[in-house]
Amino acid sequence: MYEELADEGFTVITVGIERSPEDARPWIEKASPQHPSLIDIEHLVPDLYGMINVPTVVWIDEEGRIARPNDASFASNRFKLLTGLDSKRHLRRLRAWVRGDAPALTPSEVRKHQELPTAVEQEARAEFTLAWWLSREGHDEDAERHYERAGELAPHDITIRRGSMRTRGLNPMGFAFLKIAIKSALTRTPLYRRIEDSPA
Amino acid sequence: MPTLTLLHDGRVDEISVADLARPTISPEQVESLLGWELKPEGLCKGYMCIPVDQDDLVREDGLDLRVLADALQRPLVTEEKHAVASLGASHHDRAEALDSLDAPDFTLPDLAGNLHSLSDERGKKVLLVAYASW
């Protein structure tokens, strides 16, 4: 995708929301991308953009303006059944926008679709920052209380809840995450932010 | 005087506090670390001032960190046992930034440790992809 559109004034920036650069290394080395592939161990980008889960994408235009806000998207349809997200449709739209064949969203549409962070979500992020510092200092038991508190404040924030599992000795692919997914389904609380718009 | 580790804005700073249970921060550090200056009209940054009750804010040994955080609408969470506090970003600031539609800039390292900023790509359309291995 990047190679196809790189000559058209387009780039990709990937940001790995990881606990250490080593977690992202195998992924990045396998893809050996030509575009910036960054590591965000402090969750700065989720904080700045109000992201609650990954993978998610933002379209940013030549002037540095948000053309399409934070929207869950996968590079393939591997998880389509689970998430209901169609990656092909997103790629079709993206290609049309990059080539100038179709506009992204209007500013008022961007504002309408953009979910702005709440005070409680920001408190959860502050708890997470504290917990993560305590983990790195070796105070696992005290860190755990703050991870728990962050999860209570923002139960829908998967960057916090699933993103901290490995540090806490939990398996992000295992029962701990399954529990979150089941609860989300039962309470109809989406774990992904997605923009419902007309088929491209 | 004990030292408090203050986690804020992606940084780690140390401040001297008289009482870890009720931490204070010097007006000089409020200005150098957080960018706010205490004036008679309140806490000011550039031309903008936030009115504050200075009787609550100003204590003998500095500015009350909790009152300050409330005035700035920033969450403050602490772990007294390890003398550390985390001062999060204000949801108002984050919301205002996003609502302006200017994509918030950031600078992060790649695997080799080289720093890149979103603003380096000005003039191009950018697909910003956040992902994780977990």
Side-chain angles (χ1 to χ4, degrees):
Chain A
M1 229 287 304
Y2 168 74
E3 285 78 15
E4 179 196 329
L5 297 171
D7 293 338
E8 316 214 19
F10 170 73
T11 192
V12 174
I13 298 178
T14 63
V15 179
I17 313 301
E18 303 286 3
R19 306 295 71 214
S20 92
E22 294 319 304
D23 291 343
R25 187 179 293 278
W27 293 55
I28 296 176
E29 287 183 347
K30 192 171 161 216
S32 61
Q34 301 301 306
H35 54 72
S37 305
L38 313 180
I39 314 288
D40 183 7
I41 64 166
E42 300 287 349
H43 288 206
L44 173 67
V45 168
D47 184 352
L48 288 172
Y49 285 84
M51 295 168 175
I52 56 162
N53 203 350
V54 292
T56 191
V57 301
V58 182
W59 299 7
I60 297 163
D61 74 12
E62 295 88 332
E63 276 96 53
R65 307 269 296 164
I66 297 171
R68 187 179 171 93
N70 176 17
D71 181 21
S73 179
F74 288 83
S76 77
N77 270 342
R78 199 169 137 212
F79 299 104
K80 187 177 169 186
L81 201 63
L82 204 64
T83 61
L85 297 168
D86 185 348
S87 66
K88 286 202 183 110
R89 189 192 278 184
H90 180 259
L91 288 182
R92 222 164 28 232
R93 275 205 194 90
L94 179 67
R95 216 172 261 132
W97 172 63
V98 170
R99 294 193 166 141
D101 298 337
L105 298 171
T106 64
S108 66
E109 283 171 326
V110 176
R111 288 197 176 92
K112 192 180 101 191
H113 289 301
Q114 203 158 237
E115 283 198 48
L116 302 177
T118 65
V120 174
E121 285 176 322
Q122 289 309 108
E123 190 180 344
R125 291 188 167 107
E127 288 280 6
F128 173 79
T129 300
L130 182 58
W132 176 220
W133 185 87
L134 290 166
S135 295
R136 278 177 292 178
E137 294 289 312
H139 308 303
D140 289 338
E141 271 176 39
D142 297 309
E144 186 57 29
R145 285 203 319 280
H146 294 282
Y147 284 125
E148 287 280 339
R149 179 78 187 126
E152 284 162 17
L153 288 165
H156 57 288
D157 190 331
I158 303 307
T159 60
I160 289 177
R161 296 189 71 195
R162 200 177 187 192
S164 64
M165 283 184 185
R166 270 202 207 117
T167 316
R168 301 159 68 189
L170 300 165
N171 177 2
M173 310 297 165
F175 184 63
F177 180 66
L178 191 65
K179 262 198 324 200
I180 295 176
I182 292 171
K183 183 124 190 233
S184 139
L186 291 176
T187 57
R188 295 176 187 276
T189 315
L191 298 182
Y192 290 97
R193 289 216 167 123
R194 49 201 281 205
I195 299 173
E196 305 286 350
D197 51 8
S198 55
Chain B
M1 262 215 298
T3 301
L4 178 79
T5 302
L6 184 65
L7 314 174
H8 70 100
D9 308 291
R11 297 175 39 164
V12 182
D13 283 302
E14 311 243 294
I15 59 176
S16 296
V17 295
D19 179 2
L20 282 171
R22 211 182 154 191
T24 49
I25 179 169
S26 70
E28 292 76 28
Q29 281 189 308
V30 172
E31 199 176 341
S32 64
L33 303 181
L34 306 177
W36 292 89
E37 193 184 347
L38 185 65
K39 290 184 175 174
E41 53 270 44
L43 288 160
C44 300
K45 188 183 251 184
Y47 294 109
M48 181 173 53
C49 290
I50 301 172
V52 278
D53 184 339
Q54 304 214 2
D55 291 342
D56 282 346
L57 180 66
V58 182
R59 306 215 338 254
E60 276 176 21
D61 48 347
L63 307 187
D64 189 299
L65 192 56
R66 194 156 290 286
V67 176
L68 178 77
D70 284 348
L72 300 177
Q73 296 185 303
R74 296 180 65 166
L76 180 73
V77 296
T78 57
E79 178 60 51
E80 201 185 319
K81 188 171 145 194
H82 298 293
V84 58
S86 166
L87 182 66
S90 143
H91 72 285
H92 279 286
D93 291 352
R94 289 288 185 260
E96 200 174 74
L98 285 171
D99 200 54
S100 79
L101 302 191
D102 283 329
D105 197 19
F106 54 84
T107 302
L108 290 170
D110 62 18
L111 274 184
N114 299 316
L115 295 174
H116 299 259
S117 298
L118 171 66
S119 50
D120 298 343
E121 307 297 335
R122 199 59 47 81
K124 286 182 190 165
K125 284 176 174 149
V126 176
L127 180 70
L128 172 64
V129 180
Y131 73 100
S133 62
W134 35 265

